[in-house]
Amino acid sequence: METIAGTNEQQQKAIIHGDGPQLIVAGAGTGKTKVITTRIAWLIMEKSINVDQILALTFTEKASEEMQARVETMLPYGYVDLWISTFHSFCDKILKRHGLDIGLSNNFKLLDETETWLMVRKNLARFDLDYYRPLGNPTKFIHALIKHFSRCKDEGICPGDYLRYAEEMKLNADSADFVKQFELDDLSVEQKKVLFKSEILRVNEIAEAYHVYQQILLENDCLDFADLINRTIELFKKRPLILEKYRHQFKYILVDEFQDTNFVQYELIKLLALPKNNLTVVGDDDQSIYKFRGASIANIMQFKLDFPSSVEVVLNNNYRSRQGILDLAHKFIVQNNPNRLEEKLGINKKLKSNFSEAAEIVHLHEETVEDEARTVLGKIVQLRKENQASWSDFAILVRANDSANIFINYLERANIPYQFVALRGLYNKPAALDLINYLKLLDDYHESSAVFRILSCEFVGLEFEQIVKLVHFAKKKSLPLFDVLKQSNVISDITEDSGVKINKLLTQIERDAGLARQKKPTEVVLNFLYGSGYLNELNKLAEAKKKEELSVIQQLFKKIQNFENDSKSATVKDLLELFELEMQAGESGKLAFDAETGPDMVKILTIHSAKGLEFDYVFVVNLVDRKFPTDERKEAIEIPIALIKEKIPAGDFHLEEERRLFYVAITRAKKGLYFTSAENYGGARKKKLSRFLTELGYKIEGAPHQKSEMLPSEIISETPTGTDRCVNHEKFSFSQLQTYGICPLRYKFAYVLKIPTFGSCHLTFGTAMHATLQRFLSENMETEKLNQGALFGAAENKEKTIQPIEKLFKIYGECWSDDWYRDRAERENYCKKGKEMLSKFYARFIEEKPLVKALEQDFNLKIGSYYFKGRIDRVDSAPDNKVRVIDYKTGKTAKLPLSFEDRRQLILYQIAGEELLGYKFENLYYYYLEGNELLPALAKPEDKDKLKKIFIEQADQIVAGDFSPTPSEFICQYCDYKGICEFKKI
């Protein structure tokens, strides 16, 4: 079978497993992702299972995207409705479809941790806290409460369960037998009762707070992430017909990283898999390291008990590391016995390398942490030179983020390119600090620190000595720095050139301050970026640095856009208040970093972040007592044992989890593994060696390693190199290729560098119209289903129930946005035009009563070696088992006959419909709403072949990195990036 070519015997057994449950125990580097994705492809291609009948679940968007990409390469034509997603995305999709069936709004808002914190803080008075009454710091316990509620939800504990437990405690307050279950040392029964009564008050307060928290979520149409799983389970249990629909649909279920599932995720899987239990789970108990996120190692231990007939496959052929590294890893992790699958199931998990070369495994012990950092850098430089390695072949793994600081400092001083892969810290990045401080300056001119930050920016062009003189003058005269700028022309030490630059900045600030009083923050930010020259300066940077800085701007801009979407009346002041509140909550902004992409750099990561990655040479640092393993930190508010539903593992669970984390660190290394430690980390006492090194047989013999006298500046002097690996060069949309066809450099600005641009009234209007029609037709289809009384669809009914036009106008009002219209008159004109279009649309729809077959049909079409994604607005049934495609246009009606260029989008839809969806087309139409006209665009075979050839050629050029500009007066006049493009012709 071609599908399983290139897989080993163990992998093949897992891939071609038939029906029934299967447990795949997949050690580090044994190709588990390959097994999962190949099994999906095998089910589709060999067993003829429909794509939408397979459900694959994992934990991160990155992992699901990787799985999807791998499956894509194995499917010859592409796919529609591939259900590969995270648990949360899957449940979000289900609840968006069926939330109304359990009283949830279909438009619920999903809150992240920071948004939840803000919501609780806003409603803090409703929680009636006493035991956890915030004294001094009103937000002290918010994080602890939110985390506790989330952990309860991970365990399937609802507020009602907690309240009943609190009530049970009250009723048994005087029962000696009940009190005995609480470990209160050797106190007398009476003493225990006193403490127990205090505990009753505490538990009751938490139970009530949990109930209030859930009520606030419901009142605001909000869910937190844990709610997604629990609400989906609730939906399936309360609405058995819906559960049966999805059981019928998903004939095969696969779960990646099964050891990371929590109690309710496992409950959801078991519920969906019944009764056939065609369930494949893949995991490794030795890599279960996410207990702090609610992961339950008990699940993988329990699987064989829950499914005694399950087939068991062990993957232990390792394709990553040398044998010496694998032997060391196994020697270490067996110390977690007997609480391991290897011991419990009697299987052999010892990994076997596919490489014959020897590994270098070294322990380097130094006198001070500074010596440790210097030694690590020196070893990296040595290995790079000896092995012609890239910087990205090296990783420094730390147990905690703050341990990375000294290594970062030394890497910077040595001019070694590095990337600290942190999941937080967006607001602390230089470009983000520039933008936030500029907004602060617009909100309050007296923010002298913000003024200083902006004066120091490259786009202003002031020499540092000139800025110092301005600051000194401000201090001498006791004036705000901004007031000094306005009188800089009378300061003798300020040059004429500096005065010109300062006046230019003041003009920009005055213009943007006026905008800030009238417009949304995104428009203010864009006006600054393009108008001040800030983007022009970034565009002059080296490619790697430019990409990094623009990525920060893009992420912050997206954050601001999300804020505006949540608040119709968002202002710069409101945004700054949000940033301030988030910082109070300990939030520093999420960062979207991918350790496997980007230029050639040494990677510094926490071990948790390194999970799933691999490097030629790995340095595990700071291996001393209390740094690794760390001291156990109990949860601030623990769940009562009586409420916990998962099986609590025996033994020293914290130490075993730390061992698993160390095992993960070891198994990231391919060729070289380096343990480092020091005696002095700044405390009064010398540090003892980590017990993990002791368990492996390492000890300190004689004096520490010879201290390196090499100065950081002597180590290396290079700048980051490497090609851009951050862009998805394997999947393209029609709009991407259309942009590339207009100007390749515009494509680079938009899709590689992802520079944010101003919006337009045309785009805002078009988006509102498309959303209105989609919602109206979708709700119309749902009404028809209800009237026909069928859950899974019904026979075609010619007597259609069409909702009144007032409903259409109501939806239009809800979808309308005021963004990017120049003034009130333009906004009102467009709004009126939209209603006229909808009236014509409705009259035609009433007259023709088309049978709508699908709305917003997504597809991923494979042409050559590339995928082309798209979304078809509407598919209607037509006579003779044919269909017609409708694509809405809000611009002026095109002239007939439509040229090949005009029809390209619909030709792509025709190819996708025929090759993926099995459609036979009556025709494909552009529906020009303004003129209420349908323009046909059915393609001939030669048109389809021509389009395929063009798309492949363009994709080849993009992958080759050909972004040569094609300027012309007409193209450049309407380009979003003309303000920063050096090649423009206007």
Side-chain angles (χ1 to χ4, degrees), residues 263-281:
F263 179 84
V264 292
Q265 287 167 339
Y266 188 27
E267 289 297 300
L268 175 66
I269 295 163
K270 288 189 287 187
L271 195 61
L272 267 175
L274 285 171
K276 294 183 178 180
N277 292 326
N278 291 331
L279 172 63
T280 293
V281 300

Side-chain angles (χ1 to χ4, degrees), residues 109-127 138-139 142-143 145-146 149 153 209-225 227 578 581-582 585:
K109 175 175 170 52
L110 186 60
L111 302 182
D112 62 22
E113 187 178 341
T114 302
E115 290 168 326
T116 305
W117 186 94
L118 293 169
M119 186 193 70
V120 172
R121 186 186 186 279
K122 181 181 177 182
N123 294 277
L124 196 55
R126 291 181 58 181
F127 285 84
T139 59
I142 293 179
H143 276 304
L145 286 169
I146 291 171
F149 301 153
K153 291 177 183 182
Y210 188 14
H211 175 70
V212 170
Y213 170 76
Q214 206 60 26
Q215 283 298 118
I216 294 170
L217 285 173
L218 287 172
E219 290 166 10
N220 290 277
D221 275 343
C222 293
L223 299 180
D224 59 27
F225 278 91
D227 278 329
L578 174 68
L581 285 171
E582 287 191 343

Side-chain angles (χ1 to χ4, degrees), residues 255-300:
V255 182
D256 188 20
E257 304 287 9
F258 183 63
Q259 77 279 351
D260 294 334
T261 54
N262 60 37
F263 179 84
V264 292
Q265 287 167 339
Y266 188 27
E267 289 297 300
L268 175 66
I269 295 163
K270 288 189 287 187
L271 195 61
L272 267 175
L274 285 171
K276 294 183 178 180
N277 292 326
N278 291 331
L279 172 63
T280 293
V281 300
V282 187
D284 180 11
D285 58 305
D286 291 332
Q287 297 186 74
S288 178
I289 59 173
Y290 293 115
K291 178 63 178 174
F292 69 96
R293 292 184 188 167
S296 172
I297 193 173
N299 289 346
I300 196 166

Side-chain angles (χ1 to χ4, degrees), residues 322-341:
R322 308 283 171 84
Q323 192 63 51
I325 293 170
L326 301 178
D327 289 343
L328 185 79
H330 189 262
K331 173 186 174 183
F332 175 75
I333 199 61
V334 294
Q335 292 171 95
N336 270 358
N337 285 343
N339 297 320
R340 295 178 59 244
L341 280 178

Side-chain angles (χ1 to χ4, degrees), residues 797-823:
N797 187 343
K798 293 183 180 179
E799 292 301 318
K800 296 179 64 65
T801 305
I802 299 176
Q803 298 187 66
I805 194 169
E806 290 77 17
K807 177 67 174 178
L808 178 60
F809 288 147
K810 181 176 183 293
I811 293 172
Y812 179 55
E814 292 169 354
C815 293
W816 180 262
S817 170
D818 289 340
D819 294 347
W820 303 110
Y821 295 100
R822 286 175 296 184
D823 49 41

Side-chain angles (χ1 to χ4, degrees), residues 17-23 39 246-248 250-255 266-281 303 305-311:
H17 167 71
D19 291 351
Q22 175 181 214
L23 170 64
R39 176 163 171 76
Y246 287 104
R247 280 179 175 170
H248 179 78
F250 300 127
K251 299 189 183 303
Y252 292 89
I253 300 174
L254 302 93
V255 182
Y266 188 27
E267 289 297 300
L268 175 66
I269 295 163
K270 288 189 287 187
L271 195 61
L272 267 175
L274 285 171
K276 294 183 178 180
N277 292 326
N278 291 331
L279 172 63
T280 293
V281 300
F303 189 81
L305 297 175
D306 291 339
F307 301 96
S309 65
S310 61
V311 172

